[in-house]
Amino acid sequence: MSTIPDQQGGTRRRRRIHSDEFKANAVASCMQPGMSMAAVAMVQGVNANLLRRWVRDAEMNSATTVVSATTTEMMVNASREARKSCVRAFNTVRGAQ
């Protein structure tokens, strides 16, 4: 005796694919004051855990962008300071001659 119902050919459930725009709109809805993630998930027709993953990914991407911009700015400032230091050393050596 089998407890698994027979599946008709072609009625197989498939994983849904959501566009980046759909995900961005859902994440933006979660960021609104007073909106719960569960309520947004129900309205959008997705699982709350999936929506939470999209929010986490969006937060990670924005944090990476901020860190990347800060690191680049720090590198530019460091290279400016290094160049100034080299110019001072060159001028000092040149003035000593």
Side-chain angles (χ1 to χ4, degrees):
M1 171 180 226
S2 176
T3 58
I4 301 172
D6 292 334
Q7 289 188 352
Q8 304 276 336
T11 61
R12 186 174 174 205
R13 290 183 65 185
R14 294 187 181 232
R15 183 180 296 238
R16 291 183 289 172
I17 299 174
H18 302 285
S19 69
D20 291 338
E21 182 181 2
F22 178 85
K23 293 176 187 178
N25 287 335
V27 169
S29 296
C30 289
M31 301 301 171
Q32 298 298 320
M35 289 298 292
S36 73
M37 219 170 282
V40 172
M42 269 201 308
V43 168
Q44 297 291 338
V46 297
N47 184 285
N49 294 320
L50 178 61
L51 180 58
R52 177 66 192 132
R53 184 185 315 153
W54 294 346
V55 170
R56 186 178 61 236
D57 290 347
E59 289 170 348
M60 293 293 286
N61 288 339
S62 67
T64 301
T65 302
V66 170
V67 168
S68 177
T70 304
T71 303
T72 301
E73 184 178 341
M74 289 172 49
M75 290 173 57
V76 167
N77 289 337
S79 65
R80 285 181 186 149
E81 291 300 319
R83 188 173 74 218
K84 287 179 184 177
S85 178
C86 288
V87 168
R88 271 184 260 151
F90 176 76
N91 289 337
T92 303
V93 170
R94 189 170 157 201
Q97 291 178 349

